[in-house]
Structure formats: structure tokens, C-alpha cells
Amino acid sequence: MERFTEELQEQLKVSTVFSIGGIEVAESTVITWVIMAILVGLSVYLGSNLKVRNPSKKQQLAEIIVSWFDNFTGELLGEHGKQYSTIISVILIYIGVSNLIGLFGLKPPTKDLNVTVGLSVISIFLIEIAGFRRKGAKGWIKHFSEPVAIVTPINILELVIRPLSLCMRLFGNVLGAFIIMELIKMVVPVGVPAIFSLYFDIFDGLIQAYVFVFLTSLYIQDATE
């Protein structure tokens, strides 16, 4: 058990890959750059040489992907929040790819608490900006006292609770799946881990991406009503 604990701590340790001017660049940051490079390269490839008439199969595939994400996130965001569908789609893709990249022997960035905190902060800023743009300064401030003034402290506290819940939910589920997989590998090192990997590394990873985006979209929809 001590060996397992040491190995687990080593796996969860955020390693520094290199430093730039005294600033340490973590492994999760480098892997995020790799994911960004892959997604940007794929986007440039699919988005090049677009035509209004006689589109190529590559363009048709790109249009199908964009339309699917727009429809999917648009339904979650509601009528007044559809303008944020693009950034919500990007967050969904990033978290999904980050959770799946472990299949290729890389450590998912979402195992780093700093990454999940960053994603949560982005989400909460997006939620509050959406509410501010929709309601205006006066309406945004007023909504903290709704439905009655006595709940104002609770509504203000939600500014901290929401990102914290988003962060810990994503990090906790990714961490829990990793621990379970390591325990299974210890008990039955051959065969069985591959079966459970289909759930924890693929299905559960995509589910966590959906849950994060679903809750963010739900909060945006509530803020823009």
C-alpha cells in the first residue's frame, strides 16, 4: 500500500518541464499547448479553401461539426445565451480532448488542480459578463437581491461557490477515475484494466466534459433570463 501511495503521489505531482526567465512551465501547460496545436492545426486544415458553391468533402465535414456544436450548446444556453455557443463549444472540446489524451500515455491536464481552477474562473467570468451585458449594470447589481433582499449575502457567496463547485467536481471525478484504475491494475494487471479503461478513460472523461459545460450553460441561461 505504501508503494501504491508513493506511485499515486508521483502520478499526481505537477512536474516542471522547463523554465522561461525563472518562470516554471508545468507539464500540464505543455500538454495544453500540444492540445491547442492539434486543435488549431485541425481547424486550419478543415477551414481552408472554403467555397459557397460546390463545397469539398472537407468543408462539408467542417460544416457538420460546427453545426452540431452550435445546435448542441445553443439548446443548453437558451435563446438569450446562444451568442456564447462558440466559447462553450471550445471549452467542451478542450476538456474532452484533455480527458482522452491519457489514452496516448500523456497526463491529462485536468489532473492538475490549477487547470480546473482556471477553467472554473473562466466560466464564472463568462457567466457574470453574460448577465451584465443582458441586464445592464443596474439590473446586474439588482439581481443579487432577488427574490428578496435578505438572500443578498447568499447570492454574493455564489460568486465563490459556483466556480469552486465546478472546479472540484471536474478535478474530483478525474482524480477518482485515476485512483480506481490504478487499484484495478494492482489487483488484476492483465485484461480487466483494458475493459474498465473504456469507461473511465473514455466514457467518464466525455461525461465530465459535458457536465462542466452543462452547468456553465445552465448558469449563463439563468443569468441572461
Side-chain angles (χ1 to χ4, degrees), residues 25-143:
V25 179
E27 182 181 7
S28 57
T29 303
V30 175
I31 295 175
T32 294
W33 289 345
V34 172
I35 295 172
M36 290 169 58
I38 293 172
L39 294 178
V40 169
L42 185 61
S43 299
V44 171
Y45 170 73
L46 293 176
S48 60
N49 299 321
L50 300 179
K51 300 178 182 178
V52 176
R53 297 181 179 179
N54 299 321
S56 63
K57 292 183 179 180
K58 180 180 66 174
Q59 180 177 337
Q60 293 177 27
L61 176 61
E63 291 176 354
I64 290 172
I65 294 173
V66 172
S67 297
W68 186 87
F69 275 107
D70 282 344
N71 294 332
F72 178 75
T73 56
E75 291 179 0
L76 296 176
L77 290 165
E79 184 64 29
H80 300 296
K82 286 184 177 180
Q83 58 186 309
Y84 304 101
S85 62
T86 300
I87 189 170
I88 291 297
S89 298
V90 171
I91 294 174
L92 175 62
I93 294 171
Y94 169 73
I95 297 177
V97 175
S98 295
N99 290 341
L100 294 177
I101 206 167
L103 296 171
F104 301 96
L106 298 174
K107 185 182 292 184
T110 43
K111 281 184 183 177
D112 184 355
L113 185 59
N114 296 310
V115 174
T116 57
V117 168
L119 288 169
S120 300
V121 171
I122 290 172
S123 294
I124 204 63
F125 267 101
L126 184 61
I127 293 164
E128 298 308 319
I129 289 172
F132 186 88
R133 291 181 63 187
R134 174 65 179 167
K135 300 174 181 178
K138 185 177 180 180
W140 181 77
I141 294 173
K142 184 180 178 181
H143 93 278

